[in-house]
Each structure stands twice: as structure tokens, then as C-alpha cells.
Amino acid sequence: MSWLFALWFFLPAGVANAAPVLINKIPFVTRWNTPLDFGKSFRGIRILGNNKTIRGVVCGALIAGGVGHGQQLLAPADFPEMSFIIGVALGAGALLGDALESFFKRQKGVASGEKWFPFDQIDYILGGIVFALPFAELTLILCAQIVIIWFGMHLLFAYIGYKLGLKNAPI
């Protein structure tokens, strides 16, 4: 059951990781496009760029909170409780983990949108776990299961997206 719980527990972060792309399609929200780095640079290089926005983090975290709340209502009796707060923590952590990876990617000279394996696939997972720690008891084994499951799912869905013509590369 712990593998299933690892999948269930981290679901809000997985949803949050995909949310900014979808939120970017909502017309009245697109005007709220302030970059997380407010246009600042570090060592002559933009810290995060225009694609990492406050809108993405806030909306993604709130959507993740909604998923966490939904899980709280639907959880099997033998699963530990989820909540809106845990969902928000997972979502914010996932998106800020992605932003931190973006910072290092830029500092290493990797172009925006260019693949940086395996960091592009693991950044949101580690960020979500770190932000959830104050709100949930996560064992080392559960954290390892979350990393393995969600890393594998990321690769699988990226490949499916590639085969469906939604992505230019399989990873």
C-alpha cells in the first residue's frame, strides 16, 4: 500500500506542476504575468526569466490545495489525512523547486526550454517533499517511493506527449 500512498500523497504536487501551462490559457488571468524574479539578474544572467511567474506559483499552489482538500474528502480510511494546507505546501514546493532548478539551469548556460536531464524531471519532486515536511510525517522510504514513482511517471507522460505530437522530444 505504501507505493499507492506515495502516488496518492504527491498528487497535488503533480497537478501543480502541470497547472501553470493550463492557467496560461485562461484569458483574464494572463494579464497577471509578473515574473518571480521581477526582471532582476544575477551575474549578468536573468535569475529565472519571464516563464516563472507569481501567477503560476499562486494559482498552481491553490489548485494543489483544492486537490488536497478533495483527497481529504475521498481518502480511503487507512490512508493518513490530506488537507488543503498539505496540498498548498506540495504545490508551492513543486513550483518553487522548479524555479530553483531554473536558476541553476540559467547559471550553467542551459537555454530556456532546453532539456536538462534529470534535473528537469526531479526538481518539482524534491521541492514538493521539502515544503510538505512541516505538515506531514514523511519517512525516508516514503520520500524515496515518491521520487521513484513520480520521476517514472514524468518520463512516461513526456514520452506519451511526444508520441501524440504534443512535445518535440521524448524527454
Side-chain angles (χ1 to χ4, degrees):
M1 178 182 82
S2 61
W3 287 94
L4 183 59
F5 178 69
L7 179 67
W8 173 265
F9 176 80
F10 206 71
L11 184 62
V15 170
N17 191 49
V21 175
L22 301 173
I23 291 165
N24 197 31
K25 306 292 184 211
I26 301 171
F28 67 90
V29 183
T30 57
R31 291 178 293 205
W32 185 30
N33 59 0
T34 306
L36 277 174
D37 65 8
F38 296 99
K40 303 290 183 191
S41 296
F42 177 72
R43 297 187 330 178
I45 302 168
R46 203 44 207 281
I47 295 171
L48 299 174
N50 289 332
N51 292 329
K52 306 296 180 201
T53 65
I54 294 171
R55 170 192 65 220
V57 173
V58 169
C59 292
L62 290 174
I63 289 169
V67 171
H69 180 68
Q71 288 175 298
Q72 183 178 14
L73 300 174
L74 300 171
D78 56 342
F79 272 24
E81 245 186 70
M82 287 296 289
S83 68
F84 179 80
I85 297 298
I86 293 172
V88 167
L90 284 164
L95 295 167
L96 293 173
D98 179 60
L100 181 62
E101 178 263 345
S102 182
F103 167 77
F104 287 112
K105 189 175 182 178
R106 286 180 172 274
Q107 292 300 311
K108 292 293 273 178
V110 180
S112 182
E114 190 175 321
K115 305 299 178 210
W116 199 32
F117 185 84
F119 305 107
D120 285 331
Q121 291 74 28
I122 204 162
D123 54 1
Y124 78 101
I125 301 169
L126 297 178
I129 289 171
V130 168
F131 273 59
L133 286 172
F135 306 101
E137 291 183 36
L138 302 178
T139 65
L140 189 57
I141 290 172
L142 179 59
C143 290
Q145 290 171 330
I146 289 169
V147 169
I148 291 166
I149 288 169
W150 285 90
F151 181 82
M153 285 181 52
H154 191 104
L155 295 176
L156 174 65
F157 284 110
Y159 184 73
I160 291 170
Y162 170 71
K163 284 299 198 180
L164 293 174
L166 303 172
K167 293 182 57 115
N168 295 334
I171 293 182

